[in-house]
Amino acid sequence: MDDGKATGKFKETKIMKRILTGDRPTGKLHLGHYIGSLRNRVRLQEKYECFFIIADLHTLTTKPEKTADLKENIYQMVLDYLSVGIDPQKATIYIQSQIPEVAELAIIFGNLVSTPRLERVPTLKDVMKDAHITIPSYGLLGYPVLQAADILMVRANLVPVGKDQVSHIEVTREIARDFNRLYGERLPVPEVLVPQDLGTLPGTDGSGKMSKSAGNVINLTDSPEEVEKKVMSMYTDPNRIHATDPGKVEGNPVFIYLNAFCTEGDKVQVTSYENQYRQGQVGDIEVKKFLAKILNNFLDPIRKRRAEFEKQPELIEKILKEGTEKARKEAQETLKAVKKAMELDYFSD
Ligand code: ATP
Ligand code: MG
């Protein structure tokens, strides 16, 4: 392998910090994903060496019976990624289940964390509630261990997560520290990167969060007509009955969306609608029509890019294959170092 001494270029990429983040392929990505993670990834890929994991094994922890959908979900998810501007030349997109080393690492790491510790991970209860699970499986309890294997496998330095995921990453940090204490410094202890400006996008029903299972989403793949239909039935200010009633802008999802997706050029109009709305000088229908236009303007280039990639299924497969191969090389390197450190390297190469 090129050690980079001659080119200098390799050296440069070597000192780039590494990022691992990704998604479970459970369905279509929506505007909430865009605000909460995708747009940040598009920025991060410029500055860091990014690994984007499609965590299909993680879907088994809550839906072990739902494997038939994974193939199509993965394909659609890659289209979602590419259509928002994730660039496979800059970032590595890979499929978790195609890297057997990750399972081996998870087995090793499972011995470095206690079951009460895993039971205390705050998201476990939420996940169980959402998935109507009363007793967690071994796999679900071990979710943060598998995640530790994902992160440490590529030796990521930074893990961008939503606030809800910080507690998982803490388990990864504990495992890495414990490993290093027992077997010698081998694994970088990753830092959490909680982006300041991302926030949570509420659902079209005005609930706390846009999410698939709540059925309150606008998907990146929705047609202009679907977007318009969903926007026209959006929740606004429940206390406002007539267009002449003063309305509430703060916390009103219509205005939250307007501010999140309008272009610089549309800002003046958004502010003007906010003022009119507060004073009861504009109806919901007019503002919603404007929002549908703003969202469709935002989604149009995404739709166009997606249509281009949809014509090239072989390219999608190539991106996934090459990405997985690249990530697997990292995994093999890590596992080798891990086993050597543990003196589990019984045979000479
Ligand atoms: P489900 O309903 O199955 O839980 P979901 O639509 O909530 O699905 P997740 O897969 O739970 O999507 O989301 C993965 C990540 O995407 C979250 O950890 C968060 O970072 C981001 N995300 C999802 N929904 C939103 C949202 N409404 N606002 C901001 N970020 C979001
Ligand atoms: Mg969710």
Side-chain angles (χ1 to χ4, degrees), residues 15-31:
I15 58 162
M16 259 177 142
K17 282 204 169 158
R18 268 198 191 165
I19 287 206
L20 178 98
T21 185
D23 301 281
R24 299 187 311 151
T26 52
K28 293 174 171 166
L29 297 180
H30 49 65
L31 293 179

Side-chain angles (χ1 to χ4, degrees), residues 21-38 41 63 77 130 160-165 198-203 208-217:
T21 185
D23 301 281
R24 299 187 311 151
T26 52
K28 293 174 171 166
L29 297 180
H30 49 65
L31 293 179
H33 292 118
Y34 182 80
I35 293 296
S37 61
L38 295 175
R41 289 184 209 172
K63 296 191 178 87
M77 181 167 276
D130 288 350
V161 289
K163 286 193 190 81
D164 53 334
Q165 291 269 318
L198 295 184
T200 303
L201 196 71
K209 189 172 166 268
M210 180 179 282
S211 86
K212 276 190 296 293
S213 41
N216 58 9
V217 305

Side-chain angles (χ1 to χ4, degrees), residues 258-259 262-272 274 290:
L258 277 175
N259 282 293
C262 75
T263 60
E264 279 300 313
D266 290 322
K267 283 231 159 95
V268 177
Q269 184 60 53
V270 171
T271 311
S272 158
E274 284 177 344
F290 179 62

Side-chain angles (χ1 to χ4, degrees), residues 38-49:
L38 295 175
R39 68 174 171 170
N40 190 39
R41 289 184 209 172
V42 174
R43 293 197 291 248
L44 293 172
Q45 68 183 356
E46 303 298 332
K47 268 177 56 192
Y48 299 99
E49 188 181 3

